Amino acid sequence: MQEQTKIIHSIPVDELTGAIAVPIYQTSTFVQESPGVNKGFDYARSNNPTRKALEDIVAKLENGSGGYAFASGLAAIDAVVKLLESGDEILAVDDIYGGAFRLFTHIYQKFGIKIKYVDASDAANVAEAISPKTKLIWLESPTNPTLKISDIEAIAKIAKANNCLLCVDNTFASPASQKPIDLGADLVIHSATKYLGGHSDLIAGVVITKTSELGEKIKFIQNATGSILAPFDSFLVIRGIETLSLRVKQHSENAQRIAEFLQSCDFINNVYYPGLSTHPNHHIAKQQQKYFGGIIAFDLKIDEKEIAKQIVSKTKLFKLAESLGGVKSLICLPCEMTHKSIPAEKRHQSGVTDSLIRLSVGLEDADDLIEDLKQTFELAFSNHEQKYFIDLLKNL
Ligand SMILES: *Cc1c(COP(=O)(O)O)cnc(C)c1O
């Protein structure tokens, strides 16, 4: 059965009423027939039918044994870290999501969990950095915002050989494009706020486990710590998932066209997009992803924050905002927004220059989006004294 059919029909029809949409069970508790005898639900932190429907759907989507829905992507990451003990070490991809960096460094380090960061775009670096204390490898592929790609299958083998878990934050690719468990990962997390939800209208996270043994541990942590996803938000994520593969396909087609357009602009320095043959790990992305996704980053030949600020302020269709993965296109300036808390030197080392701009390409028509970028470039450069750019613009 094809993916799209599978996704749509993984959403259950309500057994009680036949409702074709999953009902929102807005209840805190469930009446028991006699003490301890119930219909599988006793208290809604432990289990809720709407949340359970979502959890079963994401487990199927990622080919895992179980899924667990949390109040945010960060709560999902937090649950995975709680599998560890004091003295254990996490080996994480170096340009990790800022919120995960903050959680690992500023919350878990003081509880005795050590964190090491590594450039995982070469699997050999991971093999070299691993130690007997490493209990968890943390990957994102593609990463944010420079779209680095790691070879998940190769790193899963390294994890297995060293008896440690591999967790992949699959937010950027989404399961419509990439299935880390099939490539050997033990755990997958998502910020469902992004592509799974898909409409910029909720905050949610999920964990998917490969084995039921790991699933039981995550379930225990979910219930014991309580940061569960509410029934209404669970319903919204399910509704988002119905169109996930259609959306990701279109996001990716639009992004490919925009990345190629940006590459043709003389005043642009780097264009980061895994779908470009110039991307250093394009061959790996091609192997492990069905689509290359909707996120692009680029920077300017003259690395001027002021011009970049003008560019992100003068778009009409691309809205200036953090976050990604929704139907409306977004634009942001990481050095002033998502990556502001990272020291400038460290930021520059990881490619987040002062003029680096990130796009979350939405579902508008690609021609309109390209026109929007052209007009913002013209406005931004005409306001600027640098004649250099105006000359370059003539080549647009
Ligand atoms: C947004 C995001 C998160 C955090 O998710 P929230 O839902 O905002 O808590 C984690 N990882 C990645 C890659 C993200 O983009």
Side-chain angles (χ1 to χ4, degrees):
M1 202 187 283
Q2 295 300 306
E3 181 78 11
Q4 181 59 13
T5 316
K6 224 170 81 181
I7 292 179
I8 290 174
H9 286 272
S10 70
I11 298 168
V13 171
D14 184 46
E15 277 178 22
L16 205 60
T17 63
I20 199 155
V22 176
I24 300 166
Y25 284 91
Q26 193 68 36
T27 185
S28 61
T29 193
F30 301 85
V31 176
Q32 308 200 1
E33 286 153 37
S34 58
V37 180
N38 57 53
K39 298 185 165 74
F41 300 93
D42 52 9
Y43 185 61
R45 170 168 29 75
S46 312
N47 211 351
N48 172 286
T50 316
R51 192 177 87 225
K52 185 170 189 310
L54 168 64
E55 294 176 332
D56 292 347
I57 292 162
V58 291
K60 274 190 206 150
L61 255 180
E62 287 283 7
N63 293 332
S65 69
Y68 308 90
F70 291 84
S72 69
L74 270 171
I77 297 172
D78 181 68
V80 173
V81 181
K82 286 194 167 92
L83 292 168
L84 303 182
E85 287 174 19
S86 174
D88 290 350
E89 203 171 272
I90 303 173
L91 183 58
V93 60
D94 57 0
D95 50 354
I96 189 167
Y97 176 71
F101 176 86
R102 184 174 52 203
L103 178 72
F104 292 171
T105 307
H106 297 299
I107 304 282
Y108 279 104
Q109 222 151 239
K110 69 178 182 214
F111 292 114
I113 290 173
K114 295 209 176 67
I115 322 288
K116 248 197 315 198
Y117 294 95
V118 67
D119 176 1
S121 58
D122 182 352
N125 294 341
V126 176
E128 204 169 296
I130 210 163
S131 87
K133 291 205 162 149
T134 311
K135 291 288 159 8
L136 176 65
I137 296 177
W138 193 276
L139 281 189
E140 284 172 37
S141 184
T143 62
N144 175 35
T146 55
L147 289 303
K148 279 204 223 164
I149 300 286
S150 303
D151 186 337
I152 297 172
E153 198 166 16
I155 294 171
K157 283 186 186 138
I158 295 167
K160 193 154 278 161
N162 288 274
N163 211 14
C164 78
L165 297 170
L166 171 63
C167 182
V168 177
D169 180 338
N170 203 26
T171 300
F172 268 43
S174 96
S177 169
Q178 173 171 278
K179 306 219 189 263
I181 288 176
D182 290 353
L183 299 167
D186 302 288
L187 298 127
V188 170
I189 76 99
H190 281 277
S191 168
T193 310
K194 318 293 168 52
Y195 287 106
L196 292 183
H199 294 75
S200 310
D201 55 6
L202 58 91
I203 300 283
V206 293
V207 178
I208 299 102
T209 57
K210 179 181 193 165
T211 65
S212 50
E213 191 193 345
L214 265 176
E216 275 167 30
K217 289 181 183 170
I218 295 289
K219 173 87 193 163
F220 179 84
I221 291 166
Q222 183 193 39
N223 184 48
T225 61
S227 58
I228 44 137
L229 192 64
F232 181 61
D233 291 346
S234 299
F235 167 85
L236 282 177
V237 178
I238 292 170
R239 186 180 161 104
I241 287 172
E242 289 183 328
T243 55
L244 177 71
S245 57
L246 280 172
R247 283 187 287 109
V248 171
K249 181 169 184 274
Q250 193 60 44
H251 282 298
S252 305
E253 279 177 26
N254 285 359
Q256 184 76 34
R257 285 210 36 219
I258 291 168
E260 285 168 11
F261 159 70
L262 292 170
Q263 220 174 19
S264 75
C265 297
D266 287 349
F267 53 91
I268 286 176
N269 190 24
N270 299 292
V271 181
Y272 300 100
Y273 186 65
L276 295 174
S277 59
T278 48
H279 186 290
N281 277 350
H282 173 66
H283 60 290
I284 298 172
K286 215 167 153 179
Q287 224 168 18
Q288 67 190 18
Q289 293 179 221
K290 185 170 171 194
Y291 306 110
F292 296 115
I295 311 298
I296 304 171
F298 64 96
D299 61 6
L300 305 175
K301 279 200 176 133
I302 290 186
D303 189 34
E304 291 248 5
K305 192 188 287 183
E306 281 314 309
I307 308 178
K309 267 190 188 167
Q310 295 281 330
I311 292 174
V312 302
S313 307
K314 292 194 158 43
T315 49
K316 295 189 173 111
L317 299 175
F318 284 91
K319 301 297 182 197
L320 180 62
E322 295 189 8
S323 198
L324 55 107
V327 299
K328 285 182 184 161
S329 291
L330 302 180
I331 192 164
C332 84
L333 188 63
C335 76
E336 284 288 310
M337 297 165 73
T338 50
H339 288 61
K340 199 178 170 121
S341 62
I342 301 172
E345 197 186 332
K346 193 166 180 288
R347 216 174 359 90
H348 290 163
Q349 271 170 14
S350 62
V352 185
T353 54
D354 287 351
S355 66
L356 186 88
I357 291 169
R358 188 187 77 185
L359 303 177
S360 170
V361 177
L363 299 180
E364 301 91 341
D365 189 281
D367 287 330
D368 292 330
L369 293 174
I370 289 170
E371 278 310 309
D372 193 31
L373 291 171
K374 279 186 187 170
Q375 68 81 29
T376 200
F377 290 148
E378 269 165 40
L379 281 174
F381 295 137
S382 68
N383 279 355
H384 203 269
E385 307 128 27
Q386 307 246 16
K387 290 273 182 296
Y388 171 77
F389 278 105
I390 297 168
D391 291 341
L392 288 177
L393 261 178
K394 290 187 187 127
N395 298 323
L396 255 186

